[in-house]
Amino acid sequence: GIYTVLIPVSSYVMLRRGLATRARKILFGMTMFMFALSTTHWIASIATLIRLIQVWFLAADPDAQSGPIFLPLFNALILVNYVLTDGAVVWRAWVLCSVDGTKTLKMCLFMLGLVVVSVIATIAIRITLMVIDIKETGELGTQLSHGINVTQVATLVLSLLTNLLVTFLIFLKAWSVFLSLSSLSSQARSK
């Protein structure tokens, strides 16, 4: 809905300002990729809904047919958006806070790396679950199903922790700037 309106507007604004710097090119590319991925996910969701309606309500024997199996893969692939958005937040923190030292920023990069590993593991397990027949594999299928649950929750938790850490660093930077400006302001008034 609203993103279909926002993408042309934001693209126009970005292109109007120019893509002269590498950062702007990367940001524009990320925006277009994330929109394409989200649109593809939305289309897959609608196609799945239509197929399920056909199977449940229009088929002569609903138990004989199965619904589409590609939506779980798209649900795993959409997690790439988490990596991209977390990466953009970490990049902003790096730009704002790199002057003050990079130890805590390296922790943010480490957390982002864990998010990347978790997303890759989720996609790999989802592809594996699609390729193998869970009913025939028994224990392996059970372990993979448990593994996909763990990696999906890990992705959400690690992404949240990454965002909290970065937000806290930016808060500390803003607070130190506020204190510096307050100190300068009080010095100027006392003169």
Side-chain angles (χ1 to χ4, degrees), residues 77-91:
L77 290 174
I78 201 72
L79 294 176
V80 171
N81 280 352
Y82 281 73
V83 172
L84 294 176
T85 55
D86 288 354
V89 170
V90 169
W91 171 72

Side-chain angles (χ1 to χ4, degrees), residues 94 102-112 162 165:
W94 195 277
T102 59
K103 286 183 182 179
T104 52
L105 291 170
K106 287 179 183 174
M107 182 63 171
C108 294
L109 286 175
F110 176 73
M111 293 296 293
L112 180 63
T162 302
L165 181 62

Side-chain angles (χ1 to χ4, degrees), residues 11-100:
S11 299
Y12 173 78
V13 169
M14 288 180 82
L15 292 173
R16 182 111 165 131
R17 289 184 179 176
L19 301 176
T21 65
R22 191 177 95 178
R24 285 189 181 194
K25 289 176 186 172
I26 290 171
L27 187 59
F28 182 74
M30 280 178 44
T31 303
M32 291 298 115
F33 176 77
M34 290 172 65
F35 179 72
L37 186 61
S38 297
T39 302
T40 306
H41 181 263
W42 178 77
I43 290 169
S45 298
I46 296 298
T48 299
L49 177 64
I50 291 169
R51 179 68 181 140
L52 288 174
I53 289 171
Q54 288 174 343
V55 168
W56 290 338
F57 299 112
L58 303 175
D61 185 12
D63 296 330
Q65 297 181 6
S66 65
I69 61 167
F70 55 85
L71 187 61
L73 177 63
F74 279 105
N75 288 339
L77 290 174
I78 201 72
L79 294 176
V80 171
N81 280 352
Y82 281 73
V83 172
L84 294 176
T85 55
D86 288 354
V89 170
V90 169
W91 171 72
R92 287 178 184 148
W94 195 277
V95 168
L96 290 172
C97 304
S98 63
V99 175
D100 300 330

Side-chain angles (χ1 to χ4, degrees), residues 134-156:
I134 296 176
K135 295 172 187 155
E136 293 180 10
T137 57
E139 183 65 25
L140 176 62
T142 303
Q143 289 175 346
L144 287 173
S145 293
H146 179 69
I148 194 85
N149 292 336
V150 169
T151 58
Q152 286 175 333
V153 170
T155 299
L156 294 173

